[in-house]
Amino acid sequence: MSTPGRNRIQFFARPVAHVFGAGITGSMALIFLLIGIFADEKGRGALFFLAGVMIVFTLALYVPFVYHMRVILDPGGVIVRATGCKVSAAWEGVERFYRAHGPHYGLVAREPMSGKGVEKLRRYRFLTVARQLRYDEAELQWLEEGRYLPLQGFDHAVKSGALQRAIARFSPSLPGLDESPSGSPPERLKLKPWFWILLAVLIAAGVYMST
């Protein structure tokens, strides 16, 4: 979080968390680094080089998009800049703060909003991540109506309560700020068998290169 001025607060997404948590190349780079630690001098150099290339590629690919994401709060209202779109609303036009189990949180507007960002969110609301819809049923309905400002990507700020406290500075009576997540907790992510097979192959390759 940064505070450019007393009356303006910004929250940024966490680039490193997104890169190495969701980026396949970032995860692979970490695996090569771990294998390289136990490799001989020749193998260690090759593995560290591969890891370095993957890290640079990952940072160059993911960070600019993630760093662009931010929430801007000021006395006039809220602006949410997500990847490829921007939506905004005045505080008097915000109906409630929504939070459900899982990465489901955002601001619900009283009336339909307009603009290119709203249209993009409506058009791509059914996109999936790891075969799971990004939004729950309530969020999909609000997106269809053009009344939703999603706050996905700002998990750290929501879970710590920092974002809710900042919103309360400008709209202290906004419903939902003090509520616990609604609905049932999501099922834990189960890793596919191919992941363990790939991990075993990489470890075996590292051991072979070190002998």
Side-chain angles (χ1 to χ4, degrees), residues 29-129:
L30 293 178
I31 292 174
F32 278 123
L33 284 174
L34 291 174
I35 296 175
I37 293 175
F38 301 99
D40 60 17
E41 185 174 349
K42 183 177 179 181
R44 184 182 301 118
L47 288 167
F48 282 177
F49 174 77
L50 288 174
V53 171
M54 289 184 175
I55 290 175
V56 171
F57 174 78
T58 304
L59 293 175
L61 181 63
Y62 286 97
V63 170
F65 292 101
V66 177
Y67 186 76
H68 172 80
M69 297 170 60
R70 67 186 67 183
V71 178
I72 304 172
L73 311 173
D74 62 32
V78 54
I79 300 174
V80 178
R81 286 172 51 179
T83 303
C85 67
K86 180 176 73 172
V87 289
S88 61
W91 290 120
E92 57 268 24
V94 178
E95 180 178 290
R96 62 172 284 114
F97 177 84
Y98 175 74
R99 182 183 180 188
H101 281 289
H104 303 295
Y105 17 75
L107 294 167
V108 184
R110 298 183 187 279
E111 301 291 338
M113 301 175 292
S114 60
K116 293 181 179 179
V118 177
E119 292 301 321
K120 283 187 177 180
L121 288 174
R122 179 185 291 117
R123 186 181 310 127
Y124 299 113
R125 66 188 183 279
F126 290 111
L127 284 179
T128 60
V129 177

Side-chain angles (χ1 to χ4, degrees), residues 168-188:
R169 288 181 53 183
F170 304 109
S171 184
S173 60
L174 185 69
L177 291 177
D178 298 324
E179 295 180 6
S180 300
S182 61
S184 302
E187 294 184 1
R188 290 188 175 184

